[in-house]
């Protein structure tokens, strides 16, 4: 029983920090993806596709993707 209390005591501060973290700015993901596309030299229709897929990946990483 003590082990469960110790584990809960250790996890409680982590949960509070995770809940209080500010939501990432959606434009930040767009800027990140545009910078990656620029560095890679991706242009035209390929760039549009890359940006769409990259932004979807950024939303997944940030946890803001719809489920």
């Amino acid at each position: 029983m003590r082990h469960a209390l110790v584990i809960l005591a250790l996890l409680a501060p982590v949960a509070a920090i995770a809940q209080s973290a500010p939501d990432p700015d959606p434009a930040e993901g767009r800027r990140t993806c545009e910078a990656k596309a620029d560095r890679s030299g991706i242009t035209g229709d390929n760039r549009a596709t890359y940006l769409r897929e990259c932004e979807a990946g950024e939303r997944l990483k940030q946890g803001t993707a719809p489920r």
Side-chain angles (χ1 to χ4, degrees):
M1 183 65 162
R2 287 185 187 166
H3 291 97
L5 292 176
V6 171
I7 291 171
L8 287 175
L10 292 174
L11 293 178
V14 173
I17 291 170
Q19 291 177 354
S20 65
D23 290 336
D25 182 14
E28 184 64 32
R30 177 71 179 199
R31 287 190 293 269
T32 299
C33 292
E34 286 177 346
K36 288 179 181 180
D38 290 341
R39 283 193 305 267
S40 300
I42 300 171
T43 60
D45 290 338
N46 291 336
R47 182 181 180 90
T49 301
Y50 176 82
L51 291 174
R52 186 173 51 251
E53 296 297 323
C54 179
E55 286 181 69
E58 289 296 314
R59 286 192 302 274
L60 286 173
K61 284 189 340 189
Q62 296 170 353
T64 58
R67 304 245 177 216

